[in-house]
């Protein structure tokens, strides 16, 4: 499903170059739910952006559904993202002028899907995330947790190959955090969608099937399962 | 991306960003209104002037006269050297019935009738009032084809019948009063009272319909013993309406009596007139050709000239007028376009600001799969919508401006005889104005749209 091969990346500031990722390699299988764990500055968000095609790595390649996204042009990448990638943002990033349903439908609008199909799909997903009754409200009329549910529904509407979630519970209280993670786990189970969740919270990461931990741009650990994990390369997760 | 979706998203933004929308619409509407008002004033002034010109100069008529072969006086000789007996029906230079028939058959010709000028003679009513009139022999039944309308009666081909223009029914005074007036002027040319009295007598109307009158030669006052030839009586079978926009005084200077060609022939004999071809059967000194449109005048005129006839039109007046109004229109259009350019700059600024404010939203859309073209189209559609709304507001404003101008003209001019100038907004200027506004919107939206489409998604969604 997702293959990250020898990814190395650094940020340039004039003549200075700051390395952020060093020779990252891993594979995510279809239907897996993976956490990308790391503290601030560890390079996890950069890696997420690279995997989503929002940035180009300096070295290495990334494959999603057997397509190399590194070599794609911007327009090709837009088209690819439209079909294969879903996004869940920490700050939800809903369009405030659109209703909940319209927000959920938005990725399909870019695919020129007919309004009737869009409506059918969006309502079905809103029901799945438990806010069908909020379909005609505007984002400003919803709580943080409800907005994140809208964001989740939006990420699922194109039935993408993989969904990237960047700190999806970062703005939520612990009760709502549990609800959202519960929804993601449920969706992963029922829809068999691949999730890659960036988080700095160990308790969130521990609920995932596997964990890739990053420290100072290095992949330091891969956790195969929550129980009886066997750190790859003998390095433990550190916070 | 569906057009309906692009339009809906663009409309959402237009509704949402009220200040930007208001600013852009204000600029465009003023520019659009300026263009519509400019074009309307230009068109209205042009059509008013054309109407006035047409009333005075008959722009859609061609006056045809005999060419060099016809002598101006007498029935023989002249440049062509042909005698009436020797000439055939299509004799070069002569204006004959046959040539008129050919002209009548030409495309775009509505009417071609001889207007045989007999010259100026005196009209004498049965109660001995006189007036100097111009006598023209023509087909009285065709007068209506030359924009003439009857106030009373109508045309007829019966002999000894006459149609008077409105002016010919005014200022008929007896010879004695006329002489006294003229003598008074001779003694005191600057007598205002006498002038006023003369003017009021000049416009004094007479009931001439179905009345009889005679035509007579001018009296030779130097030879009181000389005999004045008089025609047999003629009956007035029709009175024409006065020309549109003309008042009675103007009409009184233009007294015309129309008689049939047969009657004209009789009058020439009765009054021993020797005026060019008036004595010749089927040969005329003048004819008027009515053309369906001023646009076809040149084409018809060229064809008539091929019949070796002399033509004259008043088209040069129209050309002169068109040149003047083209200049006025260009200047007005230039002002409108200048305002639109200013409006365009304001749109570019407002939309570029709007683009920067919406960078995050653009970024999200890009992350969700919108490509550069889709983002660009959304912004251009938004700009086009702003243009269209500005254009529609401009139409409304232009109607208000024109209403105001018409009110001003009405107040300034007071009660104007005839048809005063009224500014009308020609229907065609409305789509032209809106098209200009939409084009301004679209062109102004191109830069912000390209700028928006190039927004880096990652930079846009990154939070500080």
């Amino acid at each position: 499903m997702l293959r990250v091969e020898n990814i190395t990346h650094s940020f340039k500031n004039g003549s200075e170059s700051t390395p952020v990722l060093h020779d990252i390699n891993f594979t995510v299988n279809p239907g897996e739910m993976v956490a990308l764990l790391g503290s601030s500055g560890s390079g996890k968000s950069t890696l997420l952006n690279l995997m989503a095609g929002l940035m180009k790595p300096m070295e290495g390649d990334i494959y999603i559904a057997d397509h190399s996204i590194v070599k794609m042009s911007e327009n090709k990448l837009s088209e690819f993202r439209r079909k294969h990638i879903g996004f869940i943002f920490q700050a939800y990033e809903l369009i405030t002028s659109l209703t909940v349903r319209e927000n959920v439908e938005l990725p399909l609008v870019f695919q020129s899907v007919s309004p009737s199909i869009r409506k059918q799909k969006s309502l079905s997903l809103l029901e799945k995330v438990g806010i069908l009754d909020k379909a005609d409200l505007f984002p400003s009329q919803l709580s943080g947790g409800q907005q994140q549910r809208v964001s989740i529904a939006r990420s699922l509407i194109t039935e993408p190959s993989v969904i990237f979630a960047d700190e999806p519970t970062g703005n939520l209280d612990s009760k709502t955090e549990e609800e959202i993670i519960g929804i993601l786990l449920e969706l992963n189970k029922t829809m068999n969608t691949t999730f890659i969740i960036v988080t700095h919270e160990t308790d969130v990461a521990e609920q995932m099937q596997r964990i890739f931990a990053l420290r100072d741009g290095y992949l330091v650990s891969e956790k195969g399962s929550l129980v009886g994990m066997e750190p790859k390369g003998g390095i433990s997760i550190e916070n | 991306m569906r057009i309906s979706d692009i339009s809906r998203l663009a409309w959402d933004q237009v509704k949402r960003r009220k200040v930007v929308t208001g600013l852009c619409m204000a600029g465009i509407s003023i520019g659009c209104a300026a263009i519509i008002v400019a074009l309307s004033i230009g068109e209205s002034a042009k059509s008013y002037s054309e109407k006035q010109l047409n009333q005075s100069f008959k722009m859609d008529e061609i006056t045809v006269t005999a060419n060099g072969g016809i002598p101006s006086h007498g029935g023989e000789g002249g440049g062509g050297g042909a005698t009436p007996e020797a000439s055939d029906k299509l004799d070069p230079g002569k204006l004959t019935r046959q040539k008129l028939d050919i002209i009548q058959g030409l495309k775009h010709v509505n009417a071609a009738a001889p207007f045989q000028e007999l010259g100026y003679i005196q009209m004498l009513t049965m109660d001995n009032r006189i007036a100097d009139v111009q006598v023209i022999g023509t087909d009285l039944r065709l007068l209506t084809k030359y924009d003439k309308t009857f106030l009373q009666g109508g045309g007829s081909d019966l002999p000894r019948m006459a149609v008077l223009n409105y002016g010919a029914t005014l200022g008929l005074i007896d010879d004695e009063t006329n002489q006294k007036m003229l003598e008074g002027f001779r003694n005191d040319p600057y007598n205002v009272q006498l002038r006023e009295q003369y003017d009021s007598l000049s416009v004094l109307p007479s009931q001439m319909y179905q009345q009889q009158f005679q035509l007579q030669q001018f009296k030779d006052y130097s030879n009181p013993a000389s005999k004045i030839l008089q025609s047999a009586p003629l009956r007035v079978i029709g009175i024409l309406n006065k020309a549109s926009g003309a008042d009675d005084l103007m009409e009184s200077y233009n007294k015309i009596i129309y008689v049939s060609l047969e009657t004209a022939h009789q009058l020439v004999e009765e009054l021993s007139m020797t005026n060019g071809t008036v004595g010749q059967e089927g040969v005329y000194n003048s004819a008027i050709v009515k053309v369906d449109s001023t646009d076809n005048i040149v084409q018809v005129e060229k064809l008539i000239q091929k019949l070796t006839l002399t033509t004259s039109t008043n088209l040069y007046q129209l050309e002169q007028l068109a040149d003047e109004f083209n200049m006025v229109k260009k200047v007005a259009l230039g002002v409108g376009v200048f305002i639109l350019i200013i409006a365009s700059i304001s749109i570019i600024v407002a939309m570029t600001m709007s683009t920067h404010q919406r960078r995050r939203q653009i970024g999200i859309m890009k992350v969700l799969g919108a490509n550069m073209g889709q983002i660009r189209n959304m912004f251009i559609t938004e700009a086009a919508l702003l243009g269209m709304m500005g254009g529609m507001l401009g139409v409304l404003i232009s109607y208000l401006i024109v209403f105001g101008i018409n009110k001003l003209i009405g107040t300034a001019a007071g009660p104007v005889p005839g048809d005063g100038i009224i500014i009308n907004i020609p229907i065609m200027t409305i789509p032209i104005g809106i098209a200009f506004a939409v084009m301004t919107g679209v062109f102004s939206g191109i830069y912000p749209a390209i700028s928006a489409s190039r927004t880096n998604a990652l930079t846009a969604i990154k939070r500080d």
Side-chain angles (χ1 to χ4, degrees):
Chain A
M1 165 50 52
L2 172 74
R3 210 164 71 239
V4 176
E5 287 181 356
N6 310 317
I7 289 294
T8 297
H9 195 73
S10 51
F11 289 122
K12 280 190 175 168
N13 187 7
S15 58
E16 266 185 50
S17 178
T18 313
V20 281
L21 291 171
H22 305 274
D23 195 27
I24 306 292
N25 287 282
F26 63 84
T27 304
V28 177
N29 299 314
E32 268 193 314
M33 202 160 184
V34 171
L36 205 56
L37 183 68
S39 56
S40 178
S42 61
K44 59 185 189 305
S45 290
T46 305
L47 184 56
L48 181 92
N49 291 333
L50 288 169
M51 289 190 292
L54 299 174
M55 289 167 70
K56 300 266 183 197
M58 301 191 94
E59 282 177 42
D61 214 337
I62 296 163
Y63 294 88
I64 297 175
D66 292 328
H67 292 91
S68 167
I69 63 163
V70 173
K71 295 178 185 77
M72 283 182 189
S73 67
E74 192 175 343
N75 268 341
K76 193 99 180 154
L77 208 53
S78 296
E79 201 181 319
F80 185 81
R81 259 201 303 267
R82 216 184 282 162
K83 288 178 185 165
H84 295 281
I85 298 173
F87 268 95
I88 301 168
F89 300 93
Q90 181 180 355
Y92 334 123
E93 308 297 0
L94 303 175
I95 309 251
T96 48
S97 59
L98 303 179
T99 63
V100 164
R101 184 167 66 78
E102 287 168 340
N103 265 288
V104 175
E105 287 178 10
L106 197 56
L108 293 184
V109 167
F110 301 126
Q111 289 187 26
S112 306
V113 175
S114 75
S116 59
I117 295 173
R118 286 185 337 221
K119 187 176 179 183
Q120 189 192 330
K121 279 189 159 188
S122 60
L123 292 178
S124 161
L125 282 168
L126 285 171
E127 192 178 15
K128 274 198 174 90
V129 297
I131 48 164
L132 182 61
D133 57 329
K134 311 279 190 254
D136 295 323
L137 297 183
F138 287 91
S140 57
Q141 296 169 289
L142 304 181
S143 67
Q146 287 168 334
Q147 289 191 51
Q148 195 57 293
R149 286 170 195 238
V150 179
S151 180
I152 292 167
R154 184 178 64 184
S155 71
L156 286 162
I157 197 142
T158 55
E159 297 168 28
S161 309
V162 59
I163 291 175
F164 295 106
D166 188 6
E167 303 273 10
T169 57
N171 282 12
L172 303 172
D173 58 67
S174 56
K175 187 174 171 285
T176 317
E177 179 186 295
E178 267 177 46
E179 283 173 15
I180 293 297
I181 295 298
I183 288 169
L184 293 178
L185 289 167
E186 181 64 22
L187 289 169
N188 171 252
K189 208 155 83 180
T190 54
M191 296 178 77
N192 201 33
T193 310
T194 309
F195 281 93
I196 294 175
I197 294 167
V198 168
T199 183
H200 65 276
E201 294 173 78
T202 318
D203 53 337
V204 171
E206 281 175 345
Q207 295 179 65
M208 306 298 126
Q209 292 162 7
R210 287 204 291 163
I211 300 170
F212 296 112
L214 282 165
R215 192 177 64 193
D216 298 333
Y218 291 94
L219 188 67
V220 292
S221 162
E222 183 184 328
K223 182 184 167 191
S225 63
L226 288 171
V227 183
M229 66 173 191
E230 291 293 331
K232 208 176 184 178
I235 304 168
S236 315
I237 304 162
E238 287 180 21
N239 268 322
Chain B
M1 204 170 166
R2 290 163 173 259
I3 292 170
S4 58
D5 288 323
I6 294 178
S7 310
R8 188 173 51 83
L9 287 170
W11 177 241
D12 274 343
Q13 290 303 323
V14 167
K15 275 195 302 183
R16 198 174 154 74
R17 313 186 91 77
K18 290 186 177 65
V19 176
V20 172
T21 302
L23 280 173
C24 294
M25 275 178 67
I28 291 185
S29 60
I30 293 167
C32 176
I35 285 181
I36 292 176
V37 171
L39 288 175
S40 301
I41 290 175
E43 279 300 313
S44 300
K46 189 183 168 196
S47 84
Y48 174 78
S49 304
E50 272 179 15
K51 203 172 150 194
Q52 294 295 313
L53 267 182
N54 209 26
Q55 278 170 8
S56 311
F57 298 103
K58 299 289 177 196
M59 312 304 291
D60 55 352
E61 290 178 0
I62 302 171
T63 303
V64 183
T65 50
N67 208 335
I70 296 297
S72 58
H73 290 284
E76 297 180 0
T83 64
E85 292 77 22
S87 65
D88 68 41
K89 301 292 185 191
L90 291 172
D91 187 352
K94 283 188 176 180
L95 177 57
T96 61
R97 181 73 253 169
Q98 282 69 26
K99 284 185 183 177
L100 275 182
D101 288 344
I102 292 169
I103 294 167
Q104 178 67 70
L106 293 176
K107 202 177 171 188
H108 304 301
V109 170
N110 282 349
F115 277 73
Q116 189 84 310
E117 290 180 18
L118 271 67
Y120 284 86
I121 35 185
Q122 221 163 35
M123 175 170 77
L124 177 68
T125 63
M126 291 298 113
D127 54 356
N128 284 322
R129 287 178 296 148
I130 56 165
D132 297 345
V133 294
Q134 185 186 11
V135 180
I136 294 174
T138 186
D139 187 338
L140 298 181
R141 293 162 303 172
L142 291 180
L143 282 173
T144 50
K145 296 255 185 189
Y146 292 87
D147 304 330
K148 300 188 191 310
T149 54
F150 281 91
L151 179 67
Q152 288 174 297
S156 164
D157 59 346
L158 291 171
R160 313 303 301 179
M161 300 295 164
V163 169
L164 272 57
N165 80 336
Y166 184 76
T169 66
L170 303 174
L172 289 160
I173 48 176
D174 61 83
D175 191 30
E176 195 181 338
T177 311
N178 192 36
Q179 284 310 310
K180 272 186 188 168
M181 291 286 224
L182 291 175
E183 200 170 327
F185 278 127
R186 266 198 295 274
N187 296 334
D188 184 6
Y190 303 107
N191 188 330
V192 178
Q193 204 179 353
L194 194 64
R195 166 62 59 190
E196 282 173 359
Q197 198 184 350
Y198 184 78
D199 284 348
S200 65
L201 279 175
S202 297
V203 294
L204 200 69
S206 299
Q207 178 52 259
M208 289 300 293
Y209 183 52
Q210 292 297 357
Q211 300 293 313
Q212 285 195 324
F213 69 91
Q214 286 173 287
L215 293 170
Q216 65 178 17
Q217 287 179 323
F218 287 108
K219 191 186 275 184
D220 184 0
Y221 290 100
S222 59
N223 182 10
S226 64
K227 194 186 168 196
I228 300 169
L229 288 175
Q230 284 187 332
S231 72
L234 291 101
R235 179 178 291 278
V236 179
I237 53 155
I239 309 279
L240 297 176
N241 275 312
K242 61 177 151 182
S244 173
D247 58 15
D248 284 2
L249 193 61
M250 281 164 71
E251 282 287 318
S252 71
Y253 296 131
N254 184 32
K255 300 181 196 296
I256 303 172
I257 291 176
Y258 297 96
V259 294
S260 69
L261 290 164
E262 187 188 342
T263 308
H265 196 72
Q266 290 169 359
L267 289 173
V268 168
E269 285 178 0
E270 287 169 23
L271 302 172
S272 299
M273 297 169 88
T274 50
N275 191 357
T277 59
V278 290
Q280 295 176 35
E281 184 75 32
V283 182
Y284 316 109
N285 60 10
S286 171
I288 295 176
V289 177
K290 188 84 173 171
V291 180
D292 58 1
S293 160
T294 49
D295 298 338
N296 300 319
I297 285 280
V298 175
Q299 183 190 340
V300 174
E301 192 182 12
K302 278 180 184 166
L303 290 172
I304 294 171
Q305 283 167 351
K306 284 185 180 172
L307 294 168
T308 58
L309 294 168
T310 302
T311 58
S312 65
T313 67
N314 289 312
L315 214 58
Y316 68 97
Q317 304 262 14
L318 203 63
E319 283 161 5
Q320 212 172 0
L321 191 78
D323 285 347
E324 284 166 19
F325 278 105
N326 277 342
M327 186 55 73
V328 171
K329 265 207 280 191
K330 275 178 193 166
V331 170
L333 209 63
V335 171
V337 169
F338 176 75
I339 294 173
L340 272 184
I341 289 170
I342 302 293
S344 173
I345 293 167
S346 77
I347 295 176
I348 293 171
V349 172
M351 284 204 68
T352 307
M353 274 167 58
S354 167
T355 307
H356 279 280
Q357 286 166 356
R358 287 154 64 186
R359 281 180 76 231
R360 191 165 188 82
Q361 185 187 321
I362 297 163
I364 295 163
M365 285 183 170
K366 286 189 111 176
V367 171
L368 295 178
N371 61 29
M372 288 170 80
Q374 288 170 331
I375 301 283
R376 201 171 48 227
N377 290 345
M378 272 191 280
F379 273 81
I380 288 179
T381 307
E382 199 178 315
L385 269 176
L386 287 173
M388 197 173 74
M389 287 164 64
M392 289 194 291
L393 184 67
V395 170
L396 196 72
I397 293 172
S398 63
Y399 270 98
L400 290 175
I401 293 172
V402 164
F403 176 78
I405 292 173
N406 281 337
K407 273 261 176 200
L408 267 176
I409 293 172
T411 313
V416 181
D419 306 321
I421 184 165
I422 290 175
I423 314 292
N424 286 313
I425 296 181
I427 293 295
M428 269 315 289
T429 59
I430 294 173
I432 290 172
I434 292 180
F436 259 104
V438 173
M439 265 162 49
T440 307
V442 170
F443 283 121
S444 313
I446 288 174
Y447 170 74
I450 290 173
S451 161
S453 70
R454 286 183 180 163
T455 301
N456 183 287
L458 185 63
T459 317
I461 60 170
K462 209 177 255 177
R463 284 186 187 271
D464 295 327

